[in-house]
Amino acid sequence: MKRLSWDQYFMAQSHLLKLRSTCERLSVGATIVREKRMIAGGYNGSVSGGVHCIDQGCYVIDGHCVRTIHAEMNALLQCSKFGVPTEGAELYVTHFPCIHCTKALIQAGIKAVYYSEDYKNHPYAIELFQQAEVTVEKVPLEDPPFEQHRTEKKAYMHYLIRELEQSNRKDLDIPKLKQDIEHLYADTDNQES
């Protein structure tokens, strides 16, 4: 197994953080890094102790959920709460930041933003990053080292193959489909051993 690059390592951390999100509309994770060390992480969700969107639905006003604190803000606030400086740090985030998070990141002294997926990339946010000379780079997560519901997906694929076998479809190469499933999950199965 090849070693993950630093970018992939920190982006994978952000993707792992997004699994904690309580937002029903979009799960986002963010990791703040300084000198190749994670100093904070955040995911989008409700105020501590508050009602979560997954429990009572989103509280949408003018097309935005006002209940949710964005992942980037949660990571910055974690630094603030514990007195961790963010000047010169980098951010790894699963989705391109919104305008409000962009402004907060610039004000906090973040020098680089690496994001995995485009999401409503607002031209003004891009302009603000350029004016502040913040490096912005798309870093898609390659070959995720984890996969949500992997075991269930593999079991479901095997179930579908059994159903196809029982249907006696002659136009399908069932042994080839089985081989493809095993090949698809071979790397992750070996990693779990």
Side-chain angles (χ1 to χ4, degrees), residues 105-152:
L105 293 166
I106 291 168
Q107 288 298 99
I110 298 295
K111 70 175 183 179
V113 173
Y114 303 100
Y115 68 98
S116 180
E117 299 175 40
D118 291 306
Y119 183 72
K120 300 180 181 180
N121 302 28
H122 198 283
Y124 186 54
I126 295 167
E127 180 184 333
L128 287 172
F129 280 137
Q130 289 171 344
Q131 287 174 359
E133 298 181 355
V134 173
T135 300
V136 178
E137 185 180 333
K138 186 173 183 178
V139 178
L141 184 62
E142 301 166 1
D143 299 323
F146 52 85
E147 181 183 342
Q148 193 173 16
H149 307 294
R150 188 198 66 74
T151 304
E152 293 88 347

mmCIF file of all heavy atoms in Angstrom, residues 105-152:
data_model
loop_
_atom_site.group_PDB
_atom_site.id
_atom_site.type_symbol
_atom_site.label_atom_id
_atom_site.label_comp_id
_atom_site.label_asym_id
_atom_site.label_seq_id
_atom_site.Cartn_x
_atom_site.Cartn_y
_atom_site.Cartn_z
ATOM 1 N N LEU A 105 -12.195 32.987 7.381
ATOM 2 C CA LEU A 105 -10.896 32.336 7.180
ATOM 3 C C LEU A 105 -9.804 33.374 6.908
ATOM 4 O O LEU A 105 -8.697 33.282 7.455
ATOM 5 C CB LEU A 105 -10.976 31.329 6.030
ATOM 6 C CG LEU A 105 -11.866 30.107 6.292
ATOM 7 C CD1 LEU A 105 -12.142 29.357 4.995
ATOM 8 C CD2 LEU A 105 -11.240 29.193 7.335
ATOM 9 N N ILE A 106 -10.129 34.356 6.083
ATOM 10 C CA ILE A 106 -9.164 35.420 5.778
ATOM 11 C C ILE A 106 -8.838 36.200 7.049
ATOM 12 O O ILE A 106 -7.660 36.435 7.365
ATOM 13 C CB ILE A 106 -9.708 36.339 4.666
ATOM 14 C CG1 ILE A 106 -9.756 35.582 3.329
ATOM 15 C CG2 ILE A 106 -8.847 37.601 4.538
ATOM 16 C CD1 ILE A 106 -10.545 36.275 2.227
ATOM 17 N N GLN A 107 -9.867 36.576 7.811
ATOM 18 C CA GLN A 107 -9.658 37.335 9.044
ATOM 19 C C GLN A 107 -8.858 36.548 10.077
ATOM 20 O O GLN A 107 -8.131 37.122 10.871
ATOM 21 C CB GLN A 107 -10.987 37.772 9.646
ATOM 22 C CG GLN A 107 -11.688 38.866 8.886
ATOM 23 C CD GLN A 107 -10.889 40.145 8.827
ATOM 24 O OE1 GLN A 107 -10.223 40.416 7.832
ATOM 25 N NE2 GLN A 107 -10.933 40.933 9.884
ATOM 26 N N ALA A 108 -8.990 35.217 10.050
ATOM 27 C CA ALA A 108 -8.279 34.372 11.011
ATOM 28 C C ALA A 108 -6.827 34.128 10.599
ATOM 29 O O ALA A 108 -6.069 33.509 11.336
ATOM 30 C CB ALA A 108 -9.006 33.036 11.162
ATOM 31 N N GLY A 109 -6.456 34.604 9.408
ATOM 32 C CA GLY A 109 -5.065 34.464 8.972
ATOM 33 C C GLY A 109 -4.746 33.158 8.272
ATOM 34 O O GLY A 109 -3.574 32.801 8.129
ATOM 35 N N ILE A 110 -5.767 32.436 7.825
ATOM 36 C CA ILE A 110 -5.529 31.190 7.093
ATOM 37 C C ILE A 110 -4.821 31.540 5.782
ATOM 38 O O ILE A 110 -5.281 32.417 5.043
ATOM 39 C CB ILE A 110 -6.859 30.448 6.815
ATOM 40 C CG1 ILE A 110 -7.553 30.059 8.127
ATOM 41 C CG2 ILE A 110 -6.646 29.235 5.911
ATOM 42 C CD1 ILE A 110 -6.815 29.052 8.980
ATOM 43 N N LYS A 111 -3.699 30.874 5.487
ATOM 44 C CA LYS A 111 -2.909 31.230 4.299
ATOM 45 C C LYS A 111 -3.205 30.354 3.085
ATOM 46 O O LYS A 111 -2.838 30.703 1.971
ATOM 47 C CB LYS A 111 -1.417 31.171 4.617
ATOM 48 C CG LYS A 111 -0.888 29.752 4.829
ATOM 49 C CD LYS A 111 0.607 29.732 5.012
ATOM 50 C CE LYS A 111 1.089 28.293 5.155
ATOM 51 N NZ LYS A 111 2.522 28.206 5.301
ATOM 52 N N ALA A 112 -3.852 29.206 3.300
ATOM 53 C CA ALA A 112 -4.161 28.313 2.177
ATOM 54 C C ALA A 112 -5.434 27.539 2.473
ATOM 55 O O ALA A 112 -5.668 27.125 3.608
ATOM 56 C CB ALA A 112 -3.017 27.334 1.920
ATOM 57 N N VAL A 113 -6.243 27.356 1.427
ATOM 58 C CA VAL A 113 -7.477 26.584 1.531
ATOM 59 C C VAL A 113 -7.433 25.504 0.464
ATOM 60 O O VAL A 113 -7.285 25.795 -0.725
ATOM 61 C CB VAL A 113 -8.730 27.465 1.322
ATOM 62 C CG1 VAL A 113 -9.993 26.612 1.258
ATOM 63 C CG2 VAL A 113 -8.835 28.509 2.433
ATOM 64 N N TYR A 114 -7.519 24.255 0.907
ATOM 65 C CA TYR A 114 -7.568 23.103 0.004
ATOM 66 C C TYR A 114 -8.949 22.491 0.144
ATOM 67 O O TYR A 114 -9.372 22.176 1.256
ATOM 68 C CB TYR A 114 -6.480 22.096 0.374
ATOM 69 C CG TYR A 114 -5.094 22.709 0.351
ATOM 70 C CD1 TYR A 114 -4.477 23.105 1.534
ATOM 71 C CD2 TYR A 114 -4.432 22.914 -0.855
ATOM 72 C CE1 TYR A 114 -3.217 23.681 1.520
ATOM 73 C CE2 TYR A 114 -3.174 23.498 -0.872
ATOM 74 C CZ TYR A 114 -2.571 23.879 0.318
ATOM 75 O OH TYR A 114 -1.328 24.462 0.286
ATOM 76 N N TYR A 115 -9.656 22.360 -0.964
ATOM 77 C CA TYR A 115 -11.010 21.826 -0.915
ATOM 78 C C TYR A 115 -11.123 20.643 -1.865
ATOM 79 O O TYR A 115 -10.423 20.547 -2.861
ATOM 80 C CB TYR A 115 -12.039 22.909 -1.253
ATOM 81 C CG TYR A 115 -12.010 23.388 -2.678
ATOM 82 C CD1 TYR A 115 -12.909 22.880 -3.618
ATOM 83 C CD2 TYR A 115 -11.085 24.327 -3.103
ATOM 84 C CE1 TYR A 115 -12.880 23.306 -4.935
ATOM 85 C CE2 TYR A 115 -11.049 24.760 -4.413
ATOM 86 C CZ TYR A 115 -11.945 24.250 -5.325
ATOM 87 O OH TYR A 115 -11.918 24.659 -6.627
ATOM 88 N N SER A 116 -12.023 19.727 -1.535
ATOM 89 C CA SER A 116 -12.169 18.487 -2.294
ATOM 90 C C SER A 116 -13.206 18.597 -3.401
ATOM 91 O O SER A 116 -13.033 18.049 -4.471
ATOM 92 C CB SER A 116 -12.536 17.352 -1.329
ATOM 93 O OG SER A 116 -12.678 16.141 -2.009
ATOM 94 N N GLU A 117 -14.313 19.295 -3.118
ATOM 95 C CA GLU A 117 -15.415 19.343 -4.079
ATOM 96 C C GLU A 117 -15.890 20.779 -4.285
ATOM 97 O O GLU A 117 -15.997 21.548 -3.333
ATOM 98 C CB GLU A 117 -16.593 18.499 -3.576
ATOM 99 C CG GLU A 117 -16.253 17.030 -3.401
ATOM 100 C CD GLU A 117 -17.403 16.237 -2.794
ATOM 101 O OE1 GLU A 117 -18.557 16.497 -3.175
ATOM 102 O OE2 GLU A 117 -17.124 15.396 -1.928
ATOM 103 N N ASP A 118 -16.182 21.109 -5.541
ATOM 104 C CA ASP A 118 -16.787 22.406 -5.831
ATOM 105 C C ASP A 118 -18.191 22.412 -5.247
ATOM 106 O O ASP A 118 -18.899 21.406 -5.286
ATOM 107 C CB ASP A 118 -16.876 22.628 -7.349
ATOM 108 C CG ASP A 118 -15.510 22.806 -7.972
ATOM 109 O OD1 ASP A 118 -14.745 23.678 -7.509
ATOM 110 O OD2 ASP A 118 -15.195 22.063 -8.921
ATOM 111 N N TYR A 119 -18.578 23.559 -4.678
ATOM 112 C CA TYR A 119 -19.939 23.698 -4.162
ATOM 113 C C TYR A 119 -20.306 25.175 -4.170
ATOM 114 O O TYR A 119 -19.870 25.942 -3.301
ATOM 115 C CB TYR A 119 -20.064 23.122 -2.745
ATOM 116 C CG TYR A 119 -21.465 23.191 -2.204
ATOM 117 C CD1 TYR A 119 -22.465 22.357 -2.702
ATOM 118 C CD2 TYR A 119 -21.803 24.111 -1.222
ATOM 119 C CE1 TYR A 119 -23.767 22.440 -2.225
ATOM 120 C CE2 TYR A 119 -23.091 24.195 -0.737
ATOM 121 C CZ TYR A 119 -24.068 23.360 -1.242
ATOM 122 O OH TYR A 119 -25.362 23.450 -0.764
ATOM 123 N N LYS A 120 -21.070 25.566 -5.143
ATOM 124 C CA LYS A 120 -21.531 26.949 -5.250
ATOM 125 C C LYS A 120 -20.370 27.928 -5.099
ATOM 126 O O LYS A 120 -20.469 28.920 -4.362
ATOM 127 C CB LYS A 120 -22.622 27.245 -4.215
ATOM 128 C CG LYS A 120 -23.855 26.367 -4.356
ATOM 129 C CD LYS A 120 -24.897 26.705 -3.315
ATOM 130 C CE LYS A 120 -26.109 25.806 -3.444
ATOM 131 N NZ LYS A 120 -27.134 26.097 -2.451
ATOM 132 N N ASN A 121 -19.256 27.666 -5.770
ATOM 133 C CA ASN A 121 -18.067 28.516 -5.665
ATOM 134 C C ASN A 121 -18.441 29.942 -6.079
ATOM 135 O O ASN A 121 -18.542 30.240 -7.269
ATOM 136 C CB ASN A 121 -16.952 27.999 -6.574
ATOM 137 C CG ASN A 121 -16.549 26.572 -6.269
ATOM 138 O OD1 ASN A 121 -17.340 25.783 -5.775
ATOM 139 N ND2 ASN A 121 -15.313 26.244 -6.583
ATOM 140 N N HIS A 122 -18.645 30.808 -5.115
ATOM 141 C CA HIS A 122 -19.104 32.158 -5.398
ATOM 142 C C HIS A 122 -17.940 33.014 -5.925
ATOM 143 O O HIS A 122 -16.850 33.005 -5.336
ATOM 144 C CB HIS A 122 -19.695 32.793 -4.140
ATOM 145 C CG HIS A 122 -20.542 33.972 -4.439
ATOM 146 N ND1 HIS A 122 -20.023 35.206 -4.754
ATOM 147 C CD2 HIS A 122 -21.890 34.103 -4.495
ATOM 148 C CE1 HIS A 122 -21.003 36.057 -4.987
ATOM 149 N NE2 HIS A 122 -22.150 35.403 -4.838
ATOM 150 N N PRO A 123 -18.173 33.742 -7.015
ATOM 151 C CA PRO A 123 -17.113 34.580 -7.581
ATOM 152 C C PRO A 123 -16.529 35.578 -6.581
ATOM 153 O O PRO A 123 -15.330 35.855 -6.604
ATOM 154 C CB PRO A 123 -17.807 35.310 -8.739
ATOM 155 C CG PRO A 123 -18.982 34.471 -9.083
ATOM 156 C CD PRO A 123 -19.406 33.793 -7.818
ATOM 157 N N TYR A 124 -17.371 36.107 -5.685
ATOM 158 C CA TYR A 124 -16.856 37.067 -4.705
ATOM 159 C C TYR A 124 -15.941 36.378 -3.686
ATOM 160 O O TYR A 124 -14.937 36.966 -3.258
ATOM 161 C CB TYR A 124 -18.007 37.793 -4.004
ATOM 162 C CG TYR A 124 -17.543 38.899 -3.078
ATOM 163 C CD1 TYR A 124 -16.700 39.915 -3.537
ATOM 164 C CD2 TYR A 124 -17.942 38.937 -1.751
ATOM 165 C CE1 TYR A 124 -16.260 40.919 -2.686
ATOM 166 C CE2 TYR A 124 -17.515 39.941 -0.905
ATOM 167 C CZ TYR A 124 -16.681 40.934 -1.372
ATOM 168 O OH TYR A 124 -16.245 41.932 -0.533
ATOM 169 N N ALA A 125 -16.261 35.153 -3.312
ATOM 170 C CA ALA A 125 -15.375 34.405 -2.401
ATOM 171 C C ALA A 125 -14.017 34.188 -3.076
ATOM 172 O O ALA A 125 -12.968 34.372 -2.448
ATOM 173 C CB ALA A 125 -16.007 33.071 -2.015
ATOM 174 N N ILE A 126 -14.050 33.822 -4.344
ATOM 175 C CA ILE A 126 -12.798 33.621 -5.101
ATOM 176 C C ILE A 126 -12.014 34.930 -5.144
ATOM 177 O O ILE A 126 -10.791 34.948 -4.921
ATOM 178 C CB ILE A 126 -13.106 33.090 -6.520
ATOM 179 C CG1 ILE A 126 -13.734 31.693 -6.424
ATOM 180 C CG2 ILE A 126 -11.856 33.080 -7.392
ATOM 181 C CD1 ILE A 126 -14.372 31.201 -7.725
ATOM 182 N N GLU A 127 -12.707 36.034 -5.412
ATOM 183 C CA GLU A 127 -12.066 37.354 -5.468
ATOM 184 C C GLU A 127 -11.446 37.721 -4.117
ATOM 185 O O GLU A 127 -10.319 38.225 -4.047
ATOM 186 C CB GLU A 127 -13.101 38.405 -5.881
ATOM 187 C CG GLU A 127 -12.556 39.810 -5.972
ATOM 188 C CD GLU A 127 -13.643 40.834 -6.300
ATOM 189 O OE1 GLU A 127 -14.664 40.460 -6.934
ATOM 190 O OE2 GLU A 127 -13.483 42.003 -5.905
ATOM 191 N N LEU A 128 -12.180 37.466 -3.031
ATOM 192 C CA LEU A 128 -11.656 37.767 -1.693
ATOM 193 C C LEU A 128 -10.385 36.973 -1.395
ATOM 194 O O LEU A 128 -9.418 37.520 -0.860
ATOM 195 C CB LEU A 128 -12.718 37.485 -0.628
ATOM 196 C CG LEU A 128 -13.879 38.463 -0.546
ATOM 197 C CD1 LEU A 128 -14.937 37.943 0.425
ATOM 198 C CD2 LEU A 128 -13.392 39.846 -0.130
ATOM 199 N N PHE A 129 -10.399 35.699 -1.723
ATOM 200 C CA PHE A 129 -9.200 34.879 -1.511
ATOM 201 C C PHE A 129 -8.020 35.429 -2.309
ATOM 202 O O PHE A 129 -6.896 35.504 -1.814
ATOM 203 C CB PHE A 129 -9.459 33.419 -1.894
ATOM 204 C CG PHE A 129 -10.186 32.606 -0.851
ATOM 205 C CD1 PHE A 129 -11.203 31.743 -1.226
ATOM 206 C CD2 PHE A 129 -9.840 32.671 0.500
ATOM 207 C CE1 PHE A 129 -11.862 30.962 -0.281
ATOM 208 C CE2 PHE A 129 -10.490 31.900 1.450
ATOM 209 C CZ PHE A 129 -11.514 31.053 1.060
ATOM 210 N N GLN A 130 -8.274 35.831 -3.554
ATOM 211 C CA GLN A 130 -7.208 36.377 -4.399
ATOM 212 C C GLN A 130 -6.666 37.677 -3.814
ATOM 213 O O GLN A 130 -5.450 37.866 -3.735
ATOM 214 C CB GLN A 130 -7.714 36.596 -5.830
ATOM 215 C CG GLN A 130 -7.932 35.306 -6.581
ATOM 216 C CD GLN A 130 -8.647 35.500 -7.917
ATOM 217 O OE1 GLN A 130 -9.253 36.531 -8.183
ATOM 218 N NE2 GLN A 130 -8.592 34.474 -8.759
ATOM 219 N N GLN A 131 -7.560 38.567 -3.386
ATOM 220 C CA GLN A 131 -7.132 39.843 -2.808
ATOM 221 C C GLN A 131 -6.292 39.634 -1.552
ATOM 222 O O GLN A 131 -5.338 40.371 -1.311
ATOM 223 C CB GLN A 131 -8.350 40.707 -2.465
ATOM 224 C CG GLN A 131 -9.044 41.294 -3.653
ATOM 225 C CD GLN A 131 -10.339 42.013 -3.273
ATOM 226 O OE1 GLN A 131 -10.736 42.064 -2.100
ATOM 227 N NE2 GLN A 131 -11.017 42.571 -4.264
ATOM 228 N N ALA A 132 -6.646 38.629 -0.762
ATOM 229 C CA ALA A 132 -5.930 38.352 0.483
ATOM 230 C C ALA A 132 -4.702 37.465 0.255
ATOM 231 O O ALA A 132 -4.002 37.127 1.209
ATOM 232 C CB ALA A 132 -6.873 37.697 1.488
ATOM 233 N N GLU A 133 -4.466 37.103 -1.002
ATOM 234 C CA GLU A 133 -3.342 36.232 -1.377
ATOM 235 C C GLU A 133 -3.366 34.896 -0.634
ATOM 236 O O GLU A 133 -2.332 34.381 -0.207
ATOM 237 C CB GLU A 133 -2.009 36.961 -1.182
ATOM 238 C CG GLU A 133 -1.880 38.188 -2.063
ATOM 239 C CD GLU A 133 -0.565 38.920 -1.909
ATOM 240 O OE1 GLU A 133 0.251 38.550 -1.031
ATOM 241 O OE2 GLU A 133 -0.360 39.884 -2.660
ATOM 242 N N VAL A 134 -4.576 34.364 -0.492
ATOM 243 C CA VAL A 134 -4.753 33.038 0.093
ATOM 244 C C VAL A 134 -4.675 32.023 -1.041
ATOM 245 O O VAL A 134 -5.372 32.152 -2.044
ATOM 246 C CB VAL A 134 -6.115 32.920 0.818
ATOM 247 C CG1 VAL A 134 -6.380 31.486 1.275
ATOM 248 C CG2 VAL A 134 -6.169 33.885 1.994
ATOM 249 N N THR A 135 -3.824 31.039 -0.888
ATOM 250 C CA THR A 135 -3.732 29.966 -1.866
ATOM 251 C C THR A 135 -5.005 29.138 -1.798
ATOM 252 O O THR A 135 -5.422 28.732 -0.710
ATOM 253 C CB THR A 135 -2.522 29.055 -1.570
ATOM 254 O OG1 THR A 135 -1.340 29.852 -1.628
ATOM 255 C CG2 THR A 135 -2.426 27.897 -2.542
ATOM 256 N N VAL A 136 -5.630 28.896 -2.935
ATOM 257 C CA VAL A 136 -6.842 28.072 -2.997
ATOM 258 C C VAL A 136 -6.599 27.004 -4.049
ATOM 259 O O VAL A 136 -6.247 27.311 -5.188
ATOM 260 C CB VAL A 136 -8.090 28.909 -3.362
ATOM 261 C CG1 VAL A 136 -9.317 28.012 -3.471
ATOM 262 C CG2 VAL A 136 -8.318 30.006 -2.340
ATOM 263 N N GLU A 137 -6.763 25.742 -3.637
ATOM 264 C CA GLU A 137 -6.485 24.636 -4.550
ATOM 265 C C GLU A 137 -7.486 23.507 -4.347
ATOM 266 O O GLU A 137 -7.791 23.151 -3.210
ATOM 267 C CB GLU A 137 -5.067 24.117 -4.306
ATOM 268 C CG GLU A 137 -4.627 23.046 -5.269
ATOM 269 C CD GLU A 137 -3.206 22.573 -4.980
ATOM 270 O OE1 GLU A 137 -2.406 23.346 -4.419
ATOM 271 O OE2 GLU A 137 -2.919 21.407 -5.295
ATOM 272 N N LYS A 138 -7.958 22.983 -5.453
ATOM 273 C CA LYS A 138 -8.846 21.822 -5.385
ATOM 274 C C LYS A 138 -7.989 20.569 -5.237
ATOM 275 O O LYS A 138 -7.088 20.331 -6.029
ATOM 276 C CB LYS A 138 -9.714 21.733 -6.642
ATOM 277 C CG LYS A 138 -10.754 20.640 -6.570
ATOM 278 C CD LYS A 138 -11.692 20.699 -7.761
ATOM 279 C CE LYS A 138 -12.779 19.645 -7.625
ATOM 280 N NZ LYS A 138 -13.735 19.710 -8.741
ATOM 281 N N VAL A 139 -8.287 19.785 -4.203
ATOM 282 C CA VAL A 139 -7.565 18.545 -3.911
ATOM 283 C C VAL A 139 -8.600 17.441 -3.710
ATOM 284 O O VAL A 139 -9.020 17.173 -2.585
ATOM 285 C CB VAL A 139 -6.673 18.692 -2.655
ATOM 286 C CG1 VAL A 139 -5.957 17.389 -2.334
ATOM 287 C CG2 VAL A 139 -5.686 19.835 -2.809
ATOM 288 N N PRO A 140 -9.055 16.821 -4.796
ATOM 289 C CA PRO A 140 -10.038 15.737 -4.634
ATOM 290 C C PRO A 140 -9.450 14.584 -3.818
ATOM 291 O O PRO A 140 -8.259 14.289 -3.919
ATOM 292 C CB PRO A 140 -10.326 15.296 -6.069
ATOM 293 C CG PRO A 140 -9.818 16.391 -6.944
ATOM 294 C CD PRO A 140 -8.701 17.050 -6.193
ATOM 295 N N LEU A 141 -10.292 13.967 -3.018
ATOM 296 C CA LEU A 141 -9.848 12.810 -2.242
ATOM 297 C C LEU A 141 -9.735 11.619 -3.182
ATOM 298 O O LEU A 141 -10.691 11.247 -3.856
ATOM 299 C CB LEU A 141 -10.838 12.501 -1.116
ATOM 300 C CG LEU A 141 -10.448 11.364 -0.176
ATOM 301 C CD1 LEU A 141 -9.145 11.680 0.562
ATOM 302 C CD2 LEU A 141 -11.549 11.112 0.826
ATOM 303 N N GLU A 142 -8.539 11.046 -3.256
ATOM 304 C CA GLU A 142 -8.293 9.900 -4.132
ATOM 305 C C GLU A 142 -8.373 8.615 -3.313
ATOM 306 O O GLU A 142 -7.814 8.546 -2.227
ATOM 307 C CB GLU A 142 -6.890 10.007 -4.749
ATOM 308 C CG GLU A 142 -6.689 11.266 -5.565
ATOM 309 C CD GLU A 142 -5.224 11.526 -5.875
ATOM 310 O OE1 GLU A 142 -4.355 10.726 -5.479
ATOM 311 O OE2 GLU A 142 -4.954 12.559 -6.505
ATOM 312 N N ASP A 143 -9.026 7.618 -3.859
ATOM 313 C CA ASP A 143 -9.089 6.305 -3.210
ATOM 314 C C ASP A 143 -9.296 6.433 -1.705
ATOM 315 O O ASP A 143 -8.382 6.197 -0.925
ATOM 316 C CB ASP A 143 -7.818 5.495 -3.479
ATOM 317 C CG ASP A 143 -7.612 5.243 -4.951
ATOM 318 O OD1 ASP A 143 -8.618 5.029 -5.659
ATOM 319 O OD2 ASP A 143 -6.454 5.256 -5.405
ATOM 320 N N PRO A 144 -10.489 6.842 -1.264
ATOM 321 C CA PRO A 144 -10.714 7.037 0.165
ATOM 322 C C PRO A 144 -10.287 5.821 0.981
ATOM 323 O O PRO A 144 -10.597 4.691 0.613
ATOM 324 C CB PRO A 144 -12.229 7.244 0.266
ATOM 325 C CG PRO A 144 -12.661 7.644 -1.099
ATOM 326 C CD PRO A 144 -11.695 7.024 -2.054
ATOM 327 N N PRO A 145 -9.543 6.060 2.065
ATOM 328 C CA PRO A 145 -9.097 4.946 2.906
ATOM 329 C C PRO A 145 -10.234 4.350 3.727
ATOM 330 O O PRO A 145 -10.048 3.390 4.428
ATOM 331 C CB PRO A 145 -8.037 5.585 3.808
ATOM 332 C CG PRO A 145 -8.385 7.033 3.830
ATOM 333 C CD PRO A 145 -9.038 7.347 2.515
ATOM 334 N N PHE A 146 -11.385 4.920 3.634
ATOM 335 C CA PHE A 146 -12.560 4.427 4.332
ATOM 336 C C PHE A 146 -13.747 4.620 3.412
ATOM 337 O O PHE A 146 -13.732 5.443 2.525
ATOM 338 C CB PHE A 146 -12.794 5.186 5.642
ATOM 339 C CG PHE A 146 -12.806 6.673 5.441
ATOM 340 C CD1 PHE A 146 -13.954 7.330 5.056
ATOM 341 C CD2 PHE A 146 -11.647 7.417 5.606
ATOM 342 C CE1 PHE A 146 -13.962 8.693 4.837
ATOM 343 C CE2 PHE A 146 -11.648 8.796 5.390
ATOM 344 C CZ PHE A 146 -12.805 9.428 5.005
ATOM 345 N N GLU A 147 -14.745 3.860 3.608
ATOM 346 C CA GLU A 147 -15.953 4.004 2.800
ATOM 347 C C GLU A 147 -17.140 3.764 3.709
ATOM 348 O O GLU A 147 -17.227 2.729 4.369
ATOM 349 C CB GLU A 147 -15.959 2.997 1.648
ATOM 350 C CG GLU A 147 -17.169 3.129 0.763
ATOM 351 C CD GLU A 147 -17.202 2.071 -0.336
ATOM 352 O OE1 GLU A 147 -16.175 1.464 -0.632
ATOM 353 O OE2 GLU A 147 -18.301 1.848 -0.866
ATOM 354 N N GLN A 148 -18.037 4.725 3.737
ATOM 355 C CA GLN A 148 -19.210 4.604 4.582
ATOM 356 C C GLN A 148 -20.084 3.448 4.085
ATOM 357 O O GLN A 148 -20.348 3.316 2.901
ATOM 358 C CB GLN A 148 -19.981 5.916 4.546
ATOM 359 C CG GLN A 148 -21.025 6.012 5.612
ATOM 360 C CD GLN A 148 -21.648 7.391 5.660
ATOM 361 O OE1 GLN A 148 -21.529 8.176 4.744
ATOM 362 N NE2 GLN A 148 -22.322 7.688 6.757
ATOM 363 N N HIS A 149 -20.491 2.589 4.983
ATOM 364 C CA HIS A 149 -21.387 1.457 4.711
ATOM 365 C C HIS A 149 -20.773 0.452 3.729
ATOM 366 O O HIS A 149 -21.479 -0.205 2.982
ATOM 367 C CB HIS A 149 -22.754 1.936 4.199
ATOM 368 C CG HIS A 149 -23.403 2.946 5.066
ATOM 369 N ND1 HIS A 149 -23.828 2.658 6.338
ATOM 370 C CD2 HIS A 149 -23.682 4.248 4.857
ATOM 371 C CE1 HIS A 149 -24.349 3.752 6.880
ATOM 372 N NE2 HIS A 149 -24.261 4.728 6.010
ATOM 373 N N ARG A 150 -19.463 0.321 3.727
ATOM 374 C CA ARG A 150 -18.770 -0.566 2.801
ATOM 375 C C ARG A 150 -19.255 -2.011 2.919
ATOM 376 O O ARG A 150 -19.558 -2.661 1.924
ATOM 377 C CB ARG A 150 -17.256 -0.506 3.024
ATOM 378 C CG ARG A 150 -16.480 -1.260 1.960
ATOM 379 C CD ARG A 150 -15.072 -1.565 2.408
ATOM 380 N NE ARG A 150 -15.022 -2.489 3.515
ATOM 381 C CZ ARG A 150 -15.251 -3.801 3.407
ATOM 382 N NH1 ARG A 150 -15.535 -4.333 2.247
ATOM 383 N NH2 ARG A 150 -15.201 -4.575 4.448
ATOM 384 N N THR A 151 -19.365 -2.511 4.133
ATOM 385 C CA THR A 151 -19.777 -3.894 4.343
ATOM 386 C C THR A 151 -21.190 -4.130 3.817
ATOM 387 O O THR A 151 -21.453 -5.130 3.147
ATOM 388 C CB THR A 151 -19.711 -4.248 5.845
ATOM 389 O OG1 THR A 151 -18.383 -3.989 6.306
ATOM 390 C CG2 THR A 151 -20.061 -5.696 6.092
ATOM 391 N N GLU A 152 -22.075 -3.178 4.094
ATOM 392 C CA GLU A 152 -23.448 -3.306 3.626
ATOM 393 C C GLU A 152 -23.534 -3.252 2.101
ATOM 394 O O GLU A 152 -24.303 -3.991 1.479
ATOM 395 C CB GLU A 152 -24.329 -2.191 4.226
ATOM 396 C CG GLU A 152 -24.515 -2.300 5.721
ATOM 397 C CD GLU A 152 -23.416 -1.592 6.516
ATOM 398 O OE1 GLU A 152 -22.370 -1.208 5.936
ATOM 399 O OE2 GLU A 152 -23.586 -1.436 7.735
#
